[in-house]
Amino acid sequence: MSAPEPSARVGGTGAARRAAPRTASAHGSTALLTDRYELTMLQAALADGTAHRHSIFEVFTRRLPPGRRYGVLAGTGRVLEALADFRFGEPELEWLQAEKVVDDATLGFLADYRFTGDISGYAEGEVFFPRSPVMVVEGTFAECVLLETLVLSILNFDSAVASAASRMTSAAVDRPVLEMGSRRAHEHAAVAAARAAVVAGFAGTSNLEAGRRWGLPTIGTAAHAFILLHDDEESAFASQVASQGKGTTLLVDTYDVRRGVEAAIAAAGPGLGAVRLDSGDLLSLAQEVRRTLDSLGATSTRIVVTSDLDEHAIAALAAAPVDAYGVGTSVVTGSGAPTCGMVYKLVARAGEDGVMEPVAKASASKTSSGGRKNAARRLDAEGRAEAEVIIVGRDGEVAAWSPEEQGLRALHVPLVIGGAVDTRWCGAHGVHTAQQRHGLSRAELPRGARRLSADEPAVPTETVTLV
Amino acid sequence: MSAPEPSARVGGTGAARRAAPRTASAHGSTALLTDRYELTMLQAALADGTAHRHSIFEVFTRRLPPGRRYGVLAGTGRVLEALADFRFGEPELEWLQAEKVVDDATLGFLADYRFTGDISGYAEGEVFFPRSPVMVVEGTFAECVLLETLVLSILNFDSAVASAASRMTSAAVDRPVLEMGSRRAHEHAAVAAARAAVVAGFAGTSNLEAGRRWGLPTIGTAAHAFILLHDDEESAFASQVASQGKGTTLLVDTYDVRRGVEAAIAAAGPGLGAVRLDSGDLLSLAQEVRRTLDSLGATSTRIVVTSDLDEHAIAALAAAPVDAYGVGTSVVTGSGAPTCGMVYKLVARAGEDGVMEPVAKASASKTSSGGRKNAARRLDAEGRAEAEVIIVGRDGEVAAWSPEEQGLRALHVPLVIGGAVDTRWCGAHGVHTAQQRHGLSRAELPRGARRLSADEPAVPTETVTLV
């Protein structure tokens, strides 16, 4: 096995490696959150000179989960945040060397690695359909291929959660929905799930780290353990009201719900903020609790329900006197679709002569469509979406194509230009912008698109091939 | 809202906070990977003096996912690793203060927080059934309640993956199964999923960070993008063989599989390590590829298949000439059960007089059984599991109860004693031990327990109440 020198155009050198700055991010390097084959492909491509070929990778999904009418793109801001931490520092390089994952020439390239290409895509929060090109990553093969696994991990998970969450906020209409599923997801996935739920309209989350990282509203008061810790419900309620004020939410279903409600109002007075129900037949229980609260004069005390809810359970409670929904398991696990099927495919690359050529896998199933894409949404006279329009063709023509000139709403926005991240999509501001985008895009869907019953995608995906 | 002084027995002081050491872990603090209500409960309990009550929390699941015959406990080692990083450093305390999540007295307690209690539980890799007490956390209410969300996040996710993975390695019999699902999971969940899959018998993973963190074998060679990057399949194969040696695995289904196999052997010779099939009808395709390889003299070249496999697809390929399975989506999403329903329940706590009392929620559904538990497995004369035996009762009696004296196999092992973690359960050694434990425990299940078809739990769970 020979280990030729890397291409001067893309590679670093072993010497450069020693001078590479150490990863200094608060979150640590994201560079090893990837599949081994991204690095072994890089090694072979550096050795044979193809690593520097200009390349376009596209992220899309071939289909929506069965019965779903639209998907919700989430995670774009997290991809951009993770990109800044995608650095191979000394700890990463030393491990790769010790394990002989790649050769010295490749280690040199990795030590100097910075993404210098362009990324565009759907704005975070936008809805998507089969084959929507939700992200386009462009640069040398070497710099783009390394990002595949990380980009997909983030977009697949965050979009799965947001797609489920959007159905829940849609079913809840104007009532707030709160994310409480941290314990049903990997401890870091839980943080991202909280963010994705808020992108899709959730009003807050129980997850503190998500609150810290993106400024999300955090919520939560007490569990059954707090009641059981005390000698009786009365002393638990008194303690909570003393500590949190009468605006707090008291959990009233540890023993008998009716007596729990009475004890709650006895402890806090009729100005109690809310009571929470976490078990039982919520439809009839909420009605009983409302009557009890009203009879005690607590007419403005709200009722929060939180027992294994999903979008269907929320819809079923539409007529119940419920003021807010807390959702756990079903939102963080994508309500039956825990991941999206997004893929990251090479769709065009330069040949030996530098001219861009479309490429695509040809055999059997799992085919994809080669060539650069653009995307737009066609709206009818009322501003309702009629079709997802995918433009495909030779590189130059697609790049020059203008959706606006065709009377279509453009879907691609620039995210990274020449390696520089547009930070408006990141952080708390990015989440806020994404939530607004989602609200607008969902409102634009055809009537009936928000029904929960299984059906086809809400609009067809049309492909226009430019000659 | 008043903010009384914290109890001297459990609280720290505002002054102590300034002297608290900063979090210095490589992975960062895990302390905010939690629900807000854990901290607000703590605040109220510190104020009313109940925070110091000695408490026993128990982790268990009420049921297995529909049709599953057993669950596999995974994540115990990660819980212990995360415990060392469960520290409230200055950045965490400053955010909690700025957001007014808790009062100053509580911040003082958090600044000094170290878990000083005991944790015992099933050994990682052990199989479990409904109501198996897989972990028991004991200490003051304050120190135990804070760990709830983190413990559940880890055990629920890791056990969901391991439970699915065990069905896959079982279906594969002696053929190796490789984890390749990173792109279908949150980027950090992917790392944990790789580990959990290995606990349940997977032979390796594509995830580099999992390789680095726990010494897992990492695998992977090239994707379709690598083939498409090159002018033709021949030059791509030649490049890969030059870079990786002829022992590599060549991906042969980008264009025509038969021509791909011929090109692969032309590039590497009949000593080629393996070919990979990632699409098509794998049963017939594997047979054709085997014939082609044999006809070219490549009789020892292996066939790896990797196209959307789950345990059922693996079982269906039992008669096909397949040498290894690569599994992605289905293992990292728990093959239809993306989380376990594990809960963390207060089952006993000291009263005002210091005497331990069993406690349990009483209303409606979601009831649980109060009191300290012990657990053991009853085996028949052949060493096959007959029943999961749960011992419940007054604290002292249960603690003194010996499974061995009853001829039963004990299931609880000590994990943390007086705050000191038994590090044999952590790191690479912990994963290795867990994989061995899983192999032994699965082999002990009744005949038929490993069938994939939906059925009841493989053994009944019996509860014995000590008087």
Side-chain angles (χ1 to χ4, degrees):
Chain A
M1 229 187 313
S2 63
E5 286 302 307
S7 156
R9 289 187 54 188
V10 292
T13 64
R17 183 183 156 194
R18 293 286 138 194
R22 292 186 61 119
T23 296
S25 156
H27 304 143
S29 170
T30 57
L32 293 189
L33 299 172
T34 195
D35 290 310
R36 182 180 170 119
Y37 78 5
E38 312 293 4
L39 272 64
T40 54
M41 284 192 277
L42 171 66
Q43 173 177 313
L46 285 171
D48 73 20
T50 54
H52 66 273
R53 289 186 169 190
H54 192 79
S55 298
I56 301 174
F57 285 85
E58 186 186 290
V59 179
F60 64 96
T61 181
R62 295 187 178 90
R63 65 194 73 83
L64 300 177
R68 290 281 180 89
R69 311 211 64 199
Y70 64 94
V72 179
L73 180 68
T76 311
R78 291 213 310 119
V79 167
L80 302 183
E81 291 164 12
L83 191 62
D85 294 325
F86 199 89
R87 299 279 186 276
F88 293 85
E90 277 303 314
E92 290 75 35
L93 295 168
E94 278 167 16
W95 182 78
L96 292 171
Q97 185 172 46
E99 293 293 311
K100 300 187 173 56
V101 174
V102 287
D103 60 20
D104 285 348
T106 308
L107 291 173
F109 174 86
L110 295 177
D112 296 338
Y113 179 80
R114 300 289 182 276
F115 181 73
T116 63
D118 300 331
I119 303 180
S120 60
Y122 284 31
E124 184 163 5
E126 185 57 83
V127 301
F128 66 84
F129 301 95
R131 293 184 288 119
S132 293
V134 296
M135 188 173 279
V136 179
V137 180
E138 183 166 5
T140 65
F141 177 81
E143 64 185 345
C144 296
V145 77
L146 286 181
L147 301 179
E148 176 179 25
T149 310
L150 182 61
V151 166
L152 289 178
S153 287
I154 294 175
L155 296 184
N156 272 322
F157 179 73
D158 291 24
S159 300
V161 172
S163 298
S166 175
R167 289 160 60 85
M168 296 166 189
T169 54
S170 188
V173 193
D174 292 331
R175 295 173 179 172
V177 190
L178 306 165
E179 192 280 314
M180 303 177 168
S182 294
R183 64 193 57 195
R184 299 281 183 252
H186 177 277
E187 69 276 21
H188 288 286
V191 182
R195 181 187 179 282
V198 169
V199 166
F202 273 50
T205 173
S206 64
N207 190 285
L208 289 175
E209 181 61 26
R212 174 166 71 160
R213 207 172 292 173
W214 297 291
L216 311 183
T218 60
I219 48 88
T221 52
H224 293 113
F226 182 77
I227 312 291
L228 297 173
L229 169 68
H230 290 80
D231 295 334
D232 48 46
E233 207 171 33
E234 286 73 16
S235 57
F237 288 168
S239 170
Q240 187 177 328
V241 171
S243 179
Q244 305 288 330
K246 68 178 183 179
T248 193
T249 299
L250 293 173
L251 178 59
V252 294
D253 70 343
T254 305
Y255 304 108
D256 176 82
V257 172
R258 189 186 170 91
R259 281 200 295 273
V261 172
E262 290 167 351
I265 299 304
L272 174 64
V275 295
R276 179 160 79 96
L277 300 171
D278 187 45
S279 53
D281 172 8
L282 295 175
L283 185 58
S284 61
L285 207 54
Q287 289 165 337
E288 286 173 40
V289 168
R290 184 73 269 158
R291 280 195 297 271
T292 307
L293 286 170
D294 291 348
S295 74
L296 296 168
T299 52
S300 61
T301 298
R302 291 171 301 124
I303 299 176
V304 184
V305 296
T306 59
S307 182
D308 284 337
L309 300 180
D310 63 10
E311 60 269 45
H312 303 285
I314 289 171
L317 289 167
V322 165
D323 299 286
Y325 303 96
V327 181
T329 306
S330 65
V331 67
V332 301
T333 60
S335 199
T339 187
C340 293
M342 286 187 194
V343 293
Y344 184 96
K345 291 295 172 190
L346 181 67
V347 294
R349 52 102 185 119
E352 191 76 43
D353 54 4
V355 175
M356 293 298 285
E357 295 171 7
V359 295
K361 180 172 181 294
S363 72
S365 58
K366 287 199 195 174
T367 56
S368 52
S369 177
R372 182 196 287 273
K373 314 286 189 311
N374 203 334
R377 197 156 292 153
R378 193 167 67 236
L379 308 177
D380 67 15
E382 291 183 350
R384 296 274 175 185
E386 276 186 344
E388 189 82 339
V389 182
I390 314 290
I391 309 301
V392 59
R394 307 291 302 185
D395 200 46
E397 284 87 347
V398 173
W401 182 80
S402 162
E404 289 82 359
E405 287 176 13
Q406 309 295 320
L408 304 175
R409 180 161 81 79
L411 292 169
H412 278 172
V413 297
L415 302 166
V416 178
I417 298 179
V421 170
D422 185 339
T423 55
R424 288 175 302 172
W425 306 108
C426 301
H429 183 267
V431 176
H432 182 69
T433 305
Q435 194 183 55
Q436 288 189 309
R437 176 70 265 160
H438 181 61
L440 293 169
S441 293
R442 190 172 70 180
E444 189 184 85
L445 291 176
R447 289 187 179 77
R450 291 164 67 173
R451 279 198 314 267
L452 298 177
S453 50
D455 206 336
E456 296 297 302
V459 302
T461 303
E462 300 175 0
T463 301
V464 176
T465 306
L466 298 185
V467 218
Chain B
M1 228 186 315
S2 62
E5 286 302 305
S7 157
R9 288 185 56 187
V10 292
T13 66
R17 185 183 154 195
R18 293 287 138 195
R22 292 184 63 118
T23 296
S25 157
H27 304 142
S29 171
T30 57
L32 292 189
L33 299 172
T34 195
D35 291 310
R36 181 178 171 120
Y37 78 4
E38 312 293 4
L39 272 63
T40 52
M41 284 192 277
L42 172 66
Q43 173 179 313
L46 284 172
D48 73 21
T50 54
H52 67 273
R53 288 187 170 191
H54 192 78
S55 297
I56 301 175
F57 285 85
E58 186 186 288
V59 179
F60 64 96
T61 180
R62 294 187 179 88
R63 64 195 73 84
L64 299 177
R68 291 282 182 89
R69 311 212 62 201
Y70 63 95
V72 179
L73 179 69
T76 310
R78 290 212 311 117
V79 167
L80 302 182
E81 291 164 13
L83 191 60
D85 295 325
F86 199 91
R87 299 278 186 275
F88 294 83
E90 276 304 314
E92 291 75 34
L93 295 168
E94 279 167 16
W95 182 79
L96 292 171
Q97 185 171 46
E99 293 293 311
K100 299 186 174 57
V101 174
V102 288
D103 60 20
D104 285 348
T106 308
L107 291 173
F109 175 86
L110 296 176
D112 296 337
Y113 179 79
R114 301 290 182 273
F115 181 73
T116 62
D118 299 330
I119 302 179
S120 60
Y122 284 30
E124 184 164 6
E126 185 58 82
V127 301
F128 66 84
F129 301 95
R131 294 184 288 118
S132 293
V134 296
M135 189 173 277
V136 179
V137 181
E138 184 167 3
T140 65
F141 177 80
E143 65 185 343
C144 296
V145 77
L146 287 180
L147 301 179
E148 175 178 27
T149 310
L150 182 61
V151 166
L152 289 178
S153 287
I154 294 175
L155 295 183
N156 271 323
F157 178 74
D158 292 23
S159 300
V161 173
S163 298
S166 176
R167 288 161 60 87
M168 296 167 189
T169 54
S170 189
V173 193
D174 292 331
R175 294 172 179 173
V177 190
L178 306 165
E179 191 280 313
M180 304 177 167
S182 294
R183 66 193 55 194
R184 300 280 182 254
H186 177 277
E187 69 275 20
H188 288 287
V191 182
R195 181 186 179 282
V198 169
V199 165
F202 273 51
T205 174
S206 64
N207 190 284
L208 288 175
E209 181 61 26
R212 173 166 70 160
R213 207 171 292 173
W214 297 291
L216 311 183
T218 60
I219 48 88
T221 53
H224 293 113
F226 182 78
I227 313 291
L228 297 173
L229 169 67
H230 289 81
D231 295 334
D232 49 44
E233 207 170 34
E234 287 73 16
S235 56
F237 287 169
S239 169
Q240 187 176 328
V241 171
S243 177
Q244 304 288 330
K246 68 179 184 178
T248 193
T249 299
L250 294 173
L251 178 57
V252 294
D253 69 343
T254 305
Y255 304 107
D256 175 83
V257 172
R258 189 188 170 91
R259 282 201 293 276
V261 172
E262 291 168 351
I265 300 302
L272 174 65
V275 295
R276 178 160 78 96
L277 300 171
D278 187 44
S279 53
D281 172 8
L282 295 174
L283 185 58
S284 62
L285 207 53
Q287 288 165 338
E288 285 173 42
V289 167
R290 184 73 265 159
R291 280 195 296 271
T292 307
L293 286 170
D294 290 348
S295 74
L296 296 168
T299 52
S300 62
T301 298
R302 291 171 301 125
I303 299 175
V304 184
V305 297
T306 58
S307 181
D308 285 335
L309 300 180
D310 63 9
E311 61 268 45
H312 303 286
I314 290 171
L317 289 167
V322 165
D323 299 286
Y325 303 97
V327 180
T329 306
S330 65
V331 67
V332 301
T333 60
S335 198
T339 187
C340 294
M342 286 187 195
V343 293
Y344 183 98
K345 292 294 174 193
L346 180 67
V347 294
R349 52 99 185 122
E352 192 76 43
D353 55 3
V355 175
M356 294 297 287
E357 294 171 10
V359 295
K361 179 172 181 296
S363 74
S365 57
K366 288 199 195 174
T367 56
S368 54
S369 176
R372 181 196 287 274
K373 315 284 189 311
N374 201 333
R377 198 156 292 151
R378 193 167 68 235
L379 309 176
D380 67 14
E382 290 183 351
R384 296 274 174 185
E386 277 185 344
E388 190 82 339
V389 182
I390 315 291
I391 309 301
V392 58
R394 307 293 300 186
D395 200 45
E397 284 87 346
V398 173
W401 182 80
S402 162
E404 289 81 0
E405 285 177 13
Q406 310 294 322
L408 304 174
R409 179 162 81 78
L411 292 169
H412 278 172
V413 297
L415 301 166
V416 178
I417 297 179
V421 170
D422 186 338
T423 55
R424 289 174 302 171
W425 306 107
C426 300
H429 183 267
V431 176
H432 181 71
T433 305
Q435 193 183 54
Q436 289 190 309
R437 176 71 265 158
H438 180 61
L440 292 169
S441 293
R442 190 172 70 179
E444 191 184 84
L445 291 176
R447 290 187 178 78
R450 292 164 67 173
R451 280 196 314 265
L452 299 177
S453 49
D455 206 338
E456 295 297 303
V459 302
T461 303
E462 300 175 0
T463 301
V464 176
T465 306
L466 297 186
V467 220

